[in-house]
Amino acid sequence: MNNKILAIHTGGTISMSTTDGLISSDKENPVALDGTVNLDIRLEEIYPVKKPSPHMTMDDMLGLKDIILDRRNDFDGFVITHGTDTLEETAYFLDLALDIPQPVIVTGAMRSFNEIGSDGLYNYISSLRTALDSASRDRGVLVVFNDEIHTARNVTKTHTSNIATFQSPNHGPIGFLTKGSLQYHHQMAQQDQFDKVDLGYKVGLIKAHAGLDGIFFDALIDAGYHGLIIEALGQGNIPPSALAGLQKVLDQGIDVVLVSRSFNGIVGSYYDYEGGGYDLAGRGVIFSNGLNGQKARIKLVLALSNGLSGPELTEIFRH
């Protein structure tokens, strides 16, 4: 019996065409028209959202989770087509919120369907091939793009227009596709899993910069936020001008997680000066092991949804 794959098309460039230099959505998703050529597959396709990725919310991500869990006994794998701007966030949310053996593959395109060198249909077929391969089971959510297979945890968009935009800093892809085969060359690290999702928890994201002051911190308190991610400078430092605002947030019992705004590397409590990592650790700031800001935000929402606090919260951001 042929493998059964559920394809979930949410929109994005992969479902769009260019007319007079402007990119807009088609009435029908073009990659859905002829995506299973020469594949031994039974494919069902649904269109639950159909929106560009800047319009995607965590409610949409939760909807995708519910679709997959509702249909998990009917399919051998899942492929989600998605706009690239927030693709990594959706993939990481699903990676944390799903615990199923079937492959869940997220893909998209950097060029619309009718552009020269369009990558949408190719990425889609590559994703179907990956979902069909038994070696893809029990690997969590994967992102397939440009013949490479990346983990949802590590992948990020690195270029505004290049078709090789998705990369995994510090780690690289865990596998790749050739014309005739699929190869995995890295093992998966243990991933945290969260059963509950409460989107009532609000987590903010602030990017540190020279002269950062306390106004954004005050706004988070006034808006009733429950958590904060800071994309810190370098290995985990912020300007002293931001410390008063940060301390107000901490005094309110708001959990603060530190990541780096740098493209590679991880944060640590090394620098012993005002606003340095050692100072921040002493104030109770949590240090994250390699996540970027947008993913740390998703992880903190899910951690808070599941009642984690104190040492438990610190521990889950260490790995």
Side-chain angles (χ1 to χ4, degrees), residues 214-215 217-219 221 242-254 256 283:
I215 189 169
F217 298 94
D218 292 339
I221 295 172
L243 288 176
L246 170 63
Q247 193 59 51
K248 288 181 185 178
V249 168
L250 293 167
D251 290 344
Q252 289 290 319
I254 298 172
V256 179
R283 295 170 185 263

